Amino acid sequence: MRSFLILVLLLALSIVAFFANVAFGASPITFSDLWSVLFSNNFDPILGQIIYDLRLPRAITAVVAGGALS
């Protein structure tokens, strides 16, 4: 039971770190703006371009590289 709790805690921490990686950068993006870009159709095109073209691929690459190194 204890190992399952640790696994869930680490998974939740990984998800938070993933979204923090996408949200923080040279131009700050709030989590509400990030949520609207990822999960709705009504968003600023500049924010969409920053997130989809720059930050999301970088965050996905970090997750994949971390998984491969583990």
Side-chain angles (χ1 to χ4, degrees), residues 2-67:
R2 179 182 163 141
S3 61
F4 178 74
L5 181 64
I6 291 173
L7 180 66
V8 169
L9 181 64
L10 289 175
L11 182 63
L13 185 63
S14 297
I15 292 170
V16 168
F18 177 81
F19 284 113
N21 187 10
V22 174
F24 298 128
S27 61
I29 297 174
T30 63
F31 283 107
S32 62
D33 288 338
L34 177 63
W35 186 265
S36 69
V37 168
L38 293 177
F39 299 110
S40 74
N41 292 329
N42 188 12
F43 58 86
D44 184 19
I46 300 298
L47 286 178
Q49 187 174 11
I50 290 171
I51 290 173
Y52 284 125
D53 292 343
L54 298 174
R55 294 186 184 180
L56 201 58
R58 181 183 63 196
I60 292 170
T61 303
V63 169
V64 170

